[in-house]
């Protein structure tokens, strides 16, 4: 199968051959490295043991969602997707439990509920409502539109007020609520 | 750090020229350096990889690795293991045409450089 290199080679051919062999060793190392990675990460789907592992994962994910499962079991797991284990082998509850202070209203809020809180708090969603009701703020935004253009301190609230004149969201005049993140409560 | 030239304090001392003169690079090393410097080594590597993929050699080697990993348990394999598994078969199963092509290119490179 391999070419006959039994015949004495000229020095140059010998050199070429050893060069070639070095290149081949590199190629072999490449393949080995890639296959090693595939094996260790469990990316090779055609292994029978994988089916069992998938089942174990599914079971673990179901359990991990209900209760805290410290360690997550098995140090060498990869935790693909929402399987519930991170690189350090820790599981996390589905809803983030940290309590964070809302920068708008200053109230402590559970992190997992922060987005809905912010919606209501900043009044940026369609259904949002806070301090004023629809009728009074309707009057306010329409009448204050001209004033807001001149006195508004945030460059964004002009555009947002103009576009939302018909759907007031209880916006106080200094808060360009629709812009959301870029209104004046800071970076 | 004291090398007679301005060097940063964190930099290891540059080997002085006198030490180097004693060890001449061997012919093979000199060729290797020329290959790398001219970029030819990289091109040869690319060419070899391409040919090996085309002829299915790479897939064969991957199959060998997969089989080995399955047998040994996929978390027990090391890169060294796999290299030792593949190398004998790998060296033997390179198609003659691929080998000839690469050797030809290497030889013409050698001829184009001023070394033997």
């Amino acid at each position: 199968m391999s070419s006959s290199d039994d015949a004495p080679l000229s020095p140059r051919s010998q050199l070429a051959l050893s060069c070639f062999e070095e290149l081949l060793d590199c190629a072999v190392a490449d393949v080995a490295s890639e296959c090693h990675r595939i094996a260790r990460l469990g990316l090779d789907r055609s292994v029978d043991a994988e089916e069992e592992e998938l089942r174990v994962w599914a079971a673990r994910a179901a359990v991990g969602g209900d209760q805290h499962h410290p360690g997550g079991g098995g140090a060498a797991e990869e935790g693909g997707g929402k399987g519930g284990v991170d690189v350090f082998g820790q599981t996390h509850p589905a809803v983030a439990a940290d309590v964070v202070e809302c920068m708008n209203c200053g109230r402590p809020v559970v992190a997992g509920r922060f987005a809905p809180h912010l919606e209501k708090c900043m009044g940026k969603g369609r259904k949002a409502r806070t301090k004023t009701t629809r009728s009074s703020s309707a009057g306010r935004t329409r009448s204050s539109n001209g004033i807001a253009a001149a006195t508004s301190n945030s460059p964004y609230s002009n555009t947002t007020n103009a576009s939302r004149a018909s759907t007031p969201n209880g916006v106080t005049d200094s808060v360009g609520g629709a812009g959301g993140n870029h209104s004046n409560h800071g970076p | 750090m004291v090398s007679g030239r301005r060097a940063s304090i964190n930099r290891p001392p540059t080997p002085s020229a006198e030490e180097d003169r004693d060890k001449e690079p061997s012919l093979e090393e000199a060729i290797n350096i020329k290959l790398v410097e001219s970029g030819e080594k990289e091109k040869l590597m690319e060419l070899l990889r391409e040919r090996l993929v085309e002829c299915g050699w790479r897939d064969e080697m991957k199959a060998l690795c997969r089989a080995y990993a399955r047998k040994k348990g996929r978390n027990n394999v090391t890169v060294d293991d796999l290299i030792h598994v593949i190398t004998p078969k790998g060296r033997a199963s390179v198609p003659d045409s691929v080998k000839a092509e690469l050797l030809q290119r290497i030889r013409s490179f050698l001829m184009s450089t001023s070394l033997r």
Side-chain angles (χ1 to χ4, degrees), chain B residues 8-35:
Chain B
S8 100
I9 49 171
N10 294 324
R11 186 177 157 159
T14 317
S16 59
E18 302 96 55
E19 293 170 20
D20 266 356
R21 252 171 249 142
D22 297 342
K23 2 179 188 155
E24 276 290 327
S26 75
L27 183 60
E28 192 163 338
E29 284 173 23
I31 297 278
N32 216 354
I33 292 170
K34 275 221 143 65
L35 273 173

Side-chain angles (χ1 to χ4, degrees), chain A residues 35 62 87 90 100 108-109 118 120-121 123 133 141 160 169 171 186:
Chain A
C35 290
V87 290
Q90 303 167 322
V100 154
V109 185
L118 214 51
K120 295 181 209 119
C121 173
T133 60
T141 39
T160 55
N169 289 326
V171 176

Side-chain angles (χ1 to χ4, degrees), chain A residues 61-98:
Chain A
V63 168
D66 299 336
Q67 355 149 327
H68 272 287
H69 198 121
E77 300 299 348
E78 70 274 9
K82 299 214 163 137
V85 179
D86 67 13
V87 290
F88 300 112
Q90 303 167 322
T91 44
H92 299 270
V95 179
D98 278 24

Side-chain angles (χ1 to χ4, degrees), chain A residues 1 3 5 11-12 15-16 19-20 22-23 25-28 30 32 34-36 39-40 42 44 53, chain B residues 31 35 41 45 49 58 62 65-66 74-75 77-79 82-83 91-92 96 99 102-103 110-111 116:
Chain A
M1 215 187 297
S3 54
D5 21 28
R12 179 181 293 139
L15 214 46
C19 239
F20 172 75
E22 194 186 329
L23 292 173
D25 283 343
C26 283
V28 162
D30 280 347
E34 184 180 332
C35 290
H36 173 263
R40 290 299 295 234
D44 183 7
E53 197 179 321
Chain B
I31 297 278
L35 273 173
K41 185 155 193 205
M45 197 66 228
R49 282 199 195 112
R58 193 162 209 268
K62 282 177 80 166
C65 290
R66 251 181 292 148
R74 71 176 178 91
N75 282 326
V77 292
T78 66
V79 184
L82 291 178
I83 293 182
R91 284 202 180 139
D96 284 347
K99 188 168 180 182
L102 264 295
L103 284 176
L110 291 177
M111 286 192 278
R116 284 209 264 153

Side-chain angles (χ1 to χ4, degrees), chain A residues 1 20 23-32 35, chain B residues 45 48-65 86-96 98:
Chain A
M1 215 187 297
F20 172 75
L23 292 173
L24 193 56
D25 283 343
C26 283
V28 162
D30 280 347
V31 177
C35 290
Chain B
M45 197 66 228
L48 179 61
R49 282 199 195 112
E50 194 182 318
R51 293 285 177 264
L52 290 177
V53 168
E54 284 172 358
C55 68
W57 178 93
R58 193 162 209 268
D59 296 328
E60 278 179 43
M61 297 303 117
K62 282 177 80 166
L64 282 178
C65 290
I86 304 181
T87 297
K89 183 94 205 293
R91 284 202 180 139
S93 65
V94 176
D96 284 347
V98 175

Side-chain angles (χ1 to χ4, degrees), chain A residues 42-73:
Chain A
L43 299 178
D44 183 7
R45 288 274 157 224
S46 64
V47 179
D48 293 332
E50 288 296 2
E51 326 290 326
E52 214 222 289
E53 197 179 321
L54 289 174
R55 270 182 256 127
V56 173
W57 269 115
R60 194 176 298 139
V63 168
D66 299 336
Q67 355 149 327
H68 272 287
H69 198 121

